[in-house]
Amino acid sequence: MPDVLAQWMARLAGQRVLDIGCGRNKTPGALGMDANPHADADLVHNLDDVPYPFPAHAFDAVIGRHVIEHVQSPLAVIIELHRIVRPGGWVLLVAPHWTNPDFATDLTHRNHLNSYSFRNLTVGQEVFDFYAPVRFRQRPPYVTLLNLWRACGLEWLVNLDRRHPRWRFLRRFWEQYLNALVRGKEVYFELEVVKPDGFPPAP
C-alpha cells in the first residue's frame, strides 16, 4: 500500500466517512455506498444518480478508490461530493493515471485523469472558472509510476512538489513530455472542500 494511502487511512480514523464505490474493500468505520448489491455496501446507490440521499455537510470526508474513472459525469459527481462534505473536509480519490497500460483492460473505464484533472475546480488555478460553482484547495497529487521508473527514482522526482512547491515544473514536464514513455500507474487526489459562509445551507 503506498504511503499516501496509509496516511489517508490514519486521517480518516474516527471521522464521518463515506466510501463511494466501496466494493468488497470498504474503509473501516466508513459508510459504504455502491451500485452493486453484491458489494459490502451499507447503501446501494448509483453514483451517477444525483443528488445522493444525504444532507449537506453530512461527512467529514469522502474516499473513492478506483471509482471516479467509471462514472458517466465526473463533474456531476464531484459537485455532489462537495455538497455532502463539510467545509474544510476532504474528498480523497485514487484513479488510474491516463497512461496506465492497464486502463484499456477494463471496458467500464470511461474517464482519463492526470495530475491536473481538477485544476478548474481548484482555488487560484482555474483556467475555465465557469464549469462549476464549487471549489477545492488541492494538495499536489501523488502519482505512482510503473515499477521500472519507480526503481530509477523518477517517481520521487515527479512528486517532489509535494515537499517543495518550487519543483512543480518537474511534474508538468513529465505530464507534458515524458509520460508516453515513463508511464504512470495511479494518481492520488487530495481535495479540501472550500465553501463560502452559508453555502450550501447546513442541514
Side-chain angles (χ1 to χ4, degrees), residues 83-101:
R83 182 186 71 83
I84 65 175
V85 174
R86 65 168 174 81
W90 292 88
V91 175
L92 307 172
L93 302 172
V94 187
H97 190 270
W98 78 276
T99 60
N100 188 331

Side-chain angles (χ1 to χ4, degrees), residues 107-122:
L107 294 177
T108 66
H109 286 169
R110 291 188 173 102
N111 308 297
H112 294 79
L113 295 100
N114 75 1
S115 297
Y116 305 106
S117 291
F118 296 104
R119 179 176 60 183
N120 287 317
L121 305 180
T122 301

Side-chain angles (χ1 to χ4, degrees), residues 52-63:
Y52 303 154
F54 306 112
H57 311 167
F59 297 98
D60 298 308
V62 170
I63 186 169

